[in-house]
Amino acid sequence: MSNTTSSREPAAVRRADGTARRLRLSLLWILFAAGVASNAATSFADVSPLVPLSLGLLTTASGVALIAHYRRHRR
């Protein structure tokens, strides 16, 4: 008879992984919201066109990362 619980991760490891995952997700949402707000504000300001462009790229990258995170961790 083999012990199948020895191959599973301990509960503390699973909790730590879940906490890190929630932290990454929270940071991605904060980055996305800040990017959207900053992009909207700089689009109407008298700044170089590179500023809203770079903020738009940052917002798009965080949005893509959020979608990838969702698809990777859906049940």
Side-chain angles (χ1 to χ4, degrees), residues 15-49:
R15 273 194 305 272
D17 183 46
T19 302
R21 186 180 306 159
R22 283 192 301 271
L23 179 63
R24 278 192 307 265
L25 188 60
S26 297
L27 289 175
L28 280 173
W29 274 112
I30 290 169
L31 183 64
F32 182 74
V36 167
S38 300
N39 192 21
T42 57
S43 290
F44 296 109
D46 189 25
V47 293
S48 170

Side-chain angles (χ1 to χ4, degrees), residues 35 38-40 42-43 47-61:
S38 300
N39 192 21
T42 57
S43 290
V47 293
S48 170
L50 293 177
V51 175
L53 178 65
S54 61
L55 289 169
L57 290 174
L58 178 71
T59 304
T60 302

Side-chain angles (χ1 to χ4, degrees), residues 1-2 13-15 19 22 27 33 35 42 45 53 58 64 69 71 75:
M1 190 180 273
S2 66
V13 172
R14 286 193 306 269
R15 273 194 305 272
T19 302
R22 283 192 301 271
L27 289 175
T42 57
L53 178 65
L58 178 71
V64 167
H69 184 275
R71 291 193 51 126
R75 294 179 185 196

